[in-house]
Amino acid sequence: MYNLKLHQQINSILPENEIDITGKDNSFYARFIANAEAIQALYMSLYAHHPRTEEVFLQLLSTITNSYLQRPAALKEKDKAKDEHWFLSNHINGMSLYVDRFCGNLYNLGNKLDYFKKLGVNFLHLMPIFESPVGESDGGYAVSNFRKVDKRFGTLDDLKELQTKMMEENMYLMIDIVLNHTSHRHEWAEKAKEGEKKYQDYYYMYDDRWIPDRLEQTMPDIFPESAPGSFTYVPECGKWAMTVFHHYQWDLNYTNPYVFVEMIDTIFFYANLGVDILRIDAPAFIWKQLGTTCQNLPEAHTLLRLIKQCVMVAAPGVALLGEAIVAPAAIMKYFGTGAYTAKECDVAYNATHMALQWDALATGDTKVMLAAQHEILKKPFGTTWISYTRCHDDIGLGYDDYMIEQTGYNAYEHRRFLKEYYSGNYHGSPARGALFSVNPKTQDARISGSLASLCGLEKALQDNDLQQIDLSIRKILLMQAHSFFIGGIPMLFYGDELGYTNDYSYLNDSGKSYDNRWMHRPLIDWEKNARIDSENSIEYRIFSSTKKLLDIRAKLPVVADHKNLVWLTPHNIHVAGYLRSGGSKKLYCLFNFSDHSAFLTWYAFKEHGKAPESLYDHWQEKEFKVGQDHEYLILDPYSFYLLEAY
Ligand code: GLC
């Protein structure tokens, strides 16, 4: 709704001599006026009762203006060139990597762009690179300075140079904003320790355990083994600080509007570095309330919506990824609801589907995966997934019990099987992973391990078993193919493109040994990587096939995420099958998750509009004539087809 007073307020803060509202800055001005009412309403719904709410609101409006003014001209041009839904494209293929473990530093990364090009990757997620104390860094997610690149990685100028190079190569960049907490070594935390009230109010700090005890009654432990509890005593000031993750990660207090303004300013700082997608770390946790789990609260969504509205004004080309790893129904809300549908986070991790692929691989059965689809497919048009098989974190089995029970399994036993299977404790399991964050009270646990090790390559190499090596490679490719075509931006995890197995060297580092997620965060050995050029090497086989899959994806517009996916009737429960369609094009994607050949009636291709006469498999580059209903298409163990209909 139009609001004259607000319009006047905006006019009064815009520096006349710097902003040309009828000329070059007209679209910024239009966006600002159009979004101002929403920004104010969202802001006031959180902060109306704060004694200085008006003053901080004006600060927020100025922050938006200044950020726009500081946005480099090249980025403003790029904003203009980007289509509103640019991130739905089938031309974006990503990789997530630790700069230091991948190639040392940011400067070296700039010299590796050809490697990504060769693979078909044009989007990089750099794991946290801002300053973070060694040994207390949670892989960089405990930031002590949001604006200083950690010297381990180089300098801010190195980052800017890398971004420029990437932009010249038409590559996209993603970095994290760690919104929920800072390191206990951040300047704000240090000042809080010294007793400065202003900064103590930036965190949740209590004089005694009265409120912490009550909060802990309902707050689940995130790292029950390595960091039980949600509060840490701070001897310097004699207070208890909220530390939901590790004791060295202090939760920021978003009931304080000054914290919000500080962090939106940081968001703009990253946006103006040329980030295309900003990964908002752990947004589920950003609002706390007594008597709740302090996760996924409505106010957390209000904050995200507020961020989105502000970013749309000053940096419209930047998309937001909400890293919420939550149950299927809860994740949908991160895309926005009601009037904010598709106006909250543009992108979210499809963590449910990722975990369900691992479920199907262990059981050889796709029923649980299918049971979850009615939730997953609710994602609104104009938003997309990060689609992945592995990332730097563990694999959580957080999908709902009813999805498992619907298929006839007992949820507790089913999860126990999966945990045993992937930790290699189940008789005959080829997987080599480990349980992460076992909760002694509930027996809940997540799974660590690299794609290759969980698919059996580590064991097969140890046993020098050629047949098992072949089988593990088939599984790796099945998992990747399934995630590349299901919809969303594929995000490879570095090392998986050539089959890195677990790296156990983390056990010798006291800053890492308490966290077995480091087993799947490899140190890249470029001599090993050079083997991608030696035909018949394992590295070559995995790399060239992964590349082929990414190339196929990039040449088929039907794979862009336009809410154009339907699941095929499960004529065979071992086979996951979905149809991607658009215009007159149809692509049937079929994956056999079992260790036996699977037979699929040709009738499966005749249930969605005009039945095709022939099918061209882009993977094997082979054509099939569609047969009679009583005849079958045969899928070898762990094989897949990408069949275009003709
Ligand atoms: C996110 C990160 C994870 C980190 C946590 C706390 O979930 O992916 O690695 O431990 O946030 O920042």
Side-chain angles (χ1 to χ4, degrees):
M1 231 184 297
Y2 176 69
N3 179 330
L4 178 65
K5 184 172 163 235
L6 195 51
H7 193 157
Q8 287 166 340
Q9 236 169 355
I10 290 173
N11 283 351
S12 71
I13 59 152
L14 292 182
E16 249 173 65
N17 49 352
E18 289 177 74
I19 292 201
D20 174 7
I21 60 171
T22 54
K24 68 175 181 14
D25 301 313
N26 181 254
S27 55
F28 160 73
Y29 184 61
R31 292 194 302 270
F32 209 172
I33 300 302
N35 279 20
E37 172 81 5
I39 291 176
Q40 189 182 44
L42 291 163
Y43 171 90
M44 285 300 171
S45 81
L46 297 170
Y47 301 122
H49 301 295
H50 192 273
R52 309 185 84 151
T53 194
E54 280 297 332
E55 179 193 317
V56 188
F57 182 64
L58 285 179
Q59 253 185 45
L60 173 60
L61 297 182
S62 300
T63 304
I64 296 172
T65 310
N66 292 338
S67 306
Y68 170 75
L69 282 172
Q70 284 154 16
R71 190 154 177 80
L75 295 180
K76 287 183 179 159
E77 283 305 309
K78 200 173 168 190
D79 287 340
K80 264 192 225 152
K82 274 180 179 164
D83 159 78
E84 186 191 359
H85 293 137
W86 61 272
F87 43 82
L88 306 184
S89 160
N90 59 310
H91 290 284
I92 308 177
N93 292 323
M95 180 183 280
S96 174
L97 57 89
Y98 287 97
V99 174
D100 52 345
R101 302 177 79 76
F102 185 75
C103 61
N105 55 38
L106 289 162
Y107 176 79
N108 295 346
L109 190 59
N111 295 328
K112 293 282 183 213
L113 301 188
D114 283 347
Y115 178 80
F116 302 114
K117 214 181 261 174
K118 183 166 175 169
L119 177 61
V121 159
N122 60 353
F123 170 44
L124 298 184
H125 169 211
L126 309 186
M127 296 298 295
I129 45 175
F130 287 87
E131 196 180 74
S132 176
V134 179
E136 289 186 330
S137 87
D138 186 22
Y141 285 104
V143 183
S144 51
N145 187 334
F146 288 112
R147 306 204 177 201
K148 186 171 171 216
V149 166
D150 197 299
K151 57 179 182 312
R152 277 177 286 166
F153 306 109
T155 62
L156 195 59
D157 283 337
D158 292 338
L159 177 60
K160 288 182 182 165
E161 254 169 57
L162 173 70
Q163 190 277 333
T164 308
K165 266 193 176 177
M166 286 176 64
M167 202 155 95
E168 282 163 10
E169 299 288 337
N170 292 320
M171 291 180 78
Y172 299 99
L173 175 65
M174 173 157 95
I175 64 171
D176 283 81
I177 170 83
V178 186
L179 208 61
N180 180 64
H181 42 257
T182 73
S183 156
H184 69 143
R185 300 258 176 247
H186 190 283
E187 190 191 351
W188 302 336
E190 296 291 8
K191 288 187 174 159
K193 285 181 203 163
E194 285 162 17
E196 267 194 59
K197 171 88 174 75
K198 172 177 172 192
Y199 292 101
Q200 290 182 345
D201 288 347
Y202 273 36
Y203 300 96
Y204 291 94
M205 301 193 87
Y206 302 95
D207 292 334
D208 55 41
R209 293 270 330 171
W210 206 84
I211 295 178
D213 283 346
R214 265 143 204 85
L215 278 163
E216 274 184 356
Q217 278 169 17
T218 51
M219 289 172 84
D221 283 352
I222 307 303
F223 299 129
E225 283 177 315
S226 56
S230 298
F231 289 86
T232 301
Y233 185 66
V234 185
E236 292 90 335
C237 59
K239 288 181 186 282
W240 291 87
M242 185 186 283
T243 53
V244 168
F245 290 88
H246 295 97
H247 68 88
Y248 50 78
Q249 286 162 307
W250 288 17
D251 286 59
L252 285 166
N253 178 359
Y254 282 95
T255 64
N256 178 350
Y258 287 104
V259 170
F260 178 76
V261 174
E262 293 266 21
M263 293 308 282
I264 193 87
D265 197 38
T266 312
I267 286 175
F268 284 128
F269 175 75
Y270 293 162
N272 287 348
L273 288 174
V275 167
D276 296 284
I277 302 188
L278 192 63
R279 179 187 185 275
I280 301 182
D281 184 61
F285 298 86
I286 55 181
W287 196 269
K288 280 72 176 185
Q289 193 176 319
L290 212 59
T292 72
T293 57
C294 298
Q295 289 181 31
N296 303 313
L297 294 180
E299 291 84 352
H301 291 285
T302 307
L303 278 166
L304 291 171
R305 289 168 188 191
L306 182 52
I307 293 171
K308 175 69 186 163
Q309 303 313 304
C310 296
V311 169
M312 273 162 69
V313 174
V318 175
L320 301 180
L321 160 64
E323 187 256 346
I325 308 299
V326 297
I331 191 68
M332 280 316 144
K333 298 196 180 141
Y334 286 84
F335 293 118
T337 48
Y340 285 94
T341 303
K343 291 196 180 70
E344 194 175 310
C345 294
D346 305 291
V347 192
Y349 283 92
N350 200 346
T352 299
H353 202 82
M354 178 275 295
L356 290 167
Q357 287 195 212
W358 289 105
D359 183 313
L361 189 73
T363 58
D365 177 332
T366 61
K367 289 204 296 280
V368 185
M369 182 187 276
L370 278 165
Q373 297 307 323
H374 70 283
E375 284 293 350
I376 296 181
L377 293 178
K378 285 183 188 158
K379 178 174 69 60
F381 178 81
T383 61
T384 197
W385 298 113
I386 290 286
S387 182
Y388 64 119
T389 54
R390 289 301 292 114
C391 70
H392 69 288
D393 279 332
D394 45 282
I395 302 169
L397 305 172
Y399 36 97
D400 304 273
D401 285 358
Y402 81 85
M403 292 172 178
I404 303 176
E405 280 153 9
Q406 237 175 40
T407 67
Y409 299 128
N410 170 294
Y412 181 82
E413 291 302 328
H414 185 72
R415 287 207 180 86
R416 188 165 77 166
F417 162 71
L418 294 174
K419 287 180 283 185
E420 286 180 1
Y421 183 90
Y422 286 116
S423 56
N425 293 320
Y426 188 82
H427 179 70
S429 162
R432 287 289 171 270
L435 296 185
F436 172 69
S437 264
V438 181
N439 187 324
K441 290 182 222 152
T442 59
Q443 291 308 307
D444 272 352
R446 287 114 72 177
I447 294 156
S448 283
S450 75
L451 173 69
S453 290
L454 294 176
C455 285
L457 184 59
E458 183 176 328
K459 179 172 187 311
L461 287 171
Q462 266 160 12
D463 298 347
N464 202 10
D465 184 333
L466 293 184
Q467 209 189 337
Q468 288 299 321
I469 291 176
D470 280 354
L471 209 60
S472 66
I473 295 178
R474 293 177 82 121
K475 288 185 189 174
I476 291 171
L477 297 176
L478 171 83
M479 293 291 279
Q480 296 293 48
H482 196 257
S483 82
F484 292 177
F485 289 86
I486 189 76
I489 304 171
M491 183 65 82
L492 288 153
F493 189 59
Y494 78 109
D496 289 347
E497 78 280 16
L498 66 164
Y500 270 74
T501 54
N502 292 339
D503 177 346
Y504 298 101
S505 63
Y506 78 99
L507 290 167
N508 306 323
D509 178 340
S510 62
K512 298 191 170 76
S513 56
Y514 60 88
D515 185 342
N516 70 19
R517 288 177 298 174
W518 286 101
M519 75 166 57
H520 54 252
R521 300 170 178 175
L523 250 182
I524 294 303
D525 163 4
W526 284 93
E527 275 176 30
K528 176 178 166 68
N529 282 42
R531 282 189 233 134
I532 60 172
D533 294 322
S534 322
E535 268 188 51
N536 298 328
S537 70
I538 291 173
E539 291 80 3
Y540 170 85
R541 288 167 66 191
I542 301 177
F543 187 93
S544 58
S545 303
T546 307
K547 172 185 168 50
K548 182 169 178 183
L549 285 170
L550 294 174
D551 288 349
I552 297 172
R553 202 189 112 82
K555 74 175 186 211
L556 296 175
V558 81
V559 183
D561 192 13
H562 289 133
K563 244 184 131 49
N564 52 346
L565 180 144
V566 285
W567 281 81
L568 302 184
T569 312
H571 292 283
N572 181 327
I573 59 144
H574 305 296
V575 177
Y578 49 79
L579 172 64
R580 308 293 315 268
S581 50
S584 58
K585 297 279 185 195
K586 280 184 182 168
L587 185 77
Y588 291 89
C589 307
L590 296 168
F591 308 84
N592 177 10
F593 278 90
S594 90
D595 57 356
H596 285 74
S597 295
F599 293 69
L600 192 71
T601 163
W602 287 106
Y603 180 66
F605 300 93
K606 300 175 186 172
E607 294 182 295
H608 299 273
K610 185 176 163 286
E613 283 167 22
S614 65
L615 296 163
Y616 177 74
D617 179 19
H618 285 273
W619 177 238
Q620 295 178 61
E621 298 170 21
K622 199 166 136 189
E623 183 154 340
F624 293 87
K625 285 272 160 262
V626 173
Q628 304 288 316
D629 298 350
H630 62 270
E631 296 170 329
Y632 299 99
L633 171 72
I634 303 171
L635 292 95
D636 290 339
Y638 304 115
S639 72
F640 59 90
Y641 290 113
L642 302 168
L643 299 162
E644 187 167 351
Y646 288 98

